[in-house]
Amino acid sequence: MKGLINHDDIAKVLLSEEQIKQRILELGAELRRDYANVEGEIVLICILKGAVMFFADLARAMDLNLQMEFMGISSYGNERRTSGIVRITKDIDTSITGKHVIIAEDILDSGLTLSYLVKMLEGRGPNSVRIVAFAIKDIPGHTPAIQPDYVGTHVPNEFIVGYGLDYAERYRNLPYIGVLKPGVYTK
Ligand code: IMP
Ligand code: MG
């Protein structure tokens, strides 16, 4: 694995860099409006690694007085599916007791990862917990285990990469999001 990203691995661009920027500004404004007058600390938590681009852009677009924290989780499963059994590999560095927590996640598929995380964080006595997901997968006939409070974009039930989202740790640094050609992961 070397050289440049092969953009031909992407079957279809779902959101361009410009469209992502625009959407993040809108989401940021929505969060700013909702949180501008809350009492107490706000903690924005980045779920590593997928949410890293989204988190960095959103934090600047929100323009709120907040703490930025990072959480690493690993969910058992294969490279394309989660099992819902989540292990914390890196915990946040601060107490969230009495604080307003906003979880920034890259994509919500089955929702199992987030529903586990929310339960775990709620056990620490925060004032509130909300989820902001950059993307949510629309799966016909399927309701995710948890609904995000804020959603950046809806994506089809395909494998998405870019803007933090990976396939086998690659494509995270694509500036846009797109559908990965099935040939790339079936070969
Ligand atoms: P869930 O627990 O099924 O909602 O899966 C959520 C996690 O699986 C996300 O945080 C991603 O890391 C990963 N994931 C789910 N769908 C995709 C995808 O289409 N592309 C890349 N990662 C995905
Ligand atoms: Mg992943």
Side-chain angles (χ1 to χ4, degrees), residues 47 50 73 75 79-82 84 105-114 137 155 158-161 165-167 172:
I47 306 303
I73 56 172
S75 43
E79 283 163 339
R80 290 188 297 124
R81 278 262 166 261
T82 29
E105 171 67 313
D106 54 0
I107 190 167
L108 205 119
D109 185 348
S110 67
L112 291 170
T113 308
L114 271 180
K137 243 181 224 188
V155 296
E158 286 173 284
F159 202 75
I160 314 301
V161 292
L165 290 161
D166 74 306
Y167 166 64
R172 288 194 199 276

Side-chain angles (χ1 to χ4, degrees), residues 4-163:
L4 303 173
I5 301 175
N6 186 2
H7 293 266
D8 285 341
D9 290 349
I10 309 303
K12 186 179 172 212
V13 174
L14 295 174
L15 232 54
S16 70
E17 191 172 359
E18 268 316 306
Q19 287 171 320
I20 292 174
K21 269 191 192 139
Q22 186 50 43
R23 192 62 196 112
I24 301 295
L25 289 179
E26 291 165 6
L27 265 183
E30 208 180 324
L31 282 149
R32 177 163 67 244
R33 194 193 58 218
D34 292 355
Y35 283 87
N37 297 312
V38 300
E39 290 292 329
E41 294 270 357
I42 302 166
V43 185
L44 182 65
I45 301 179
C46 175
I47 306 303
L48 296 169
K49 305 170 198 169
V52 69
M53 310 288 184
F54 176 50
F55 172 82
D57 287 341
L58 186 68
R60 284 175 287 187
M62 284 161 74
D63 198 33
L64 291 168
N65 235 324
L66 51 77
Q67 284 177 265
M68 293 167 77
E69 287 290 332
F70 297 85
M71 184 163 237
I73 56 172
S74 107
S75 43
Y76 299 96
N78 62 28
E79 283 163 339
R80 290 188 297 124
R81 278 262 166 261
T82 29
S83 63
I85 303 164
V86 179
R87 188 168 59 91
I88 294 177
T89 55
K90 188 228 172 292
D91 205 342
I92 50 175
D93 299 326
T94 189
S95 160
I96 54 166
T97 308
K99 298 180 184 174
H100 296 282
V101 172
I102 307 170
I103 305 172
E105 171 67 313
D106 54 0
I107 190 167
L108 205 119
D109 185 348
S110 67
L112 291 170
T113 308
L114 271 180
S115 98
Y116 174 92
L117 253 183
V118 166
K119 277 196 201 96
M120 204 267 302
L121 292 173
E122 274 172 348
R124 300 183 185 182
N127 199 322
S128 67
V129 179
R130 281 191 187 163
I131 299 164
V132 50
F134 172 64
I136 185 165
K137 243 181 224 188
D138 288 328
I139 308 172
H142 180 270
T143 317
I146 195 162
Q147 290 291 342
D149 302 278
Y150 304 89
V151 176
T153 189
H154 289 257
V155 296
N157 188 18
E158 286 173 284
F159 202 75
I160 314 301
V161 292
Y163 197 59

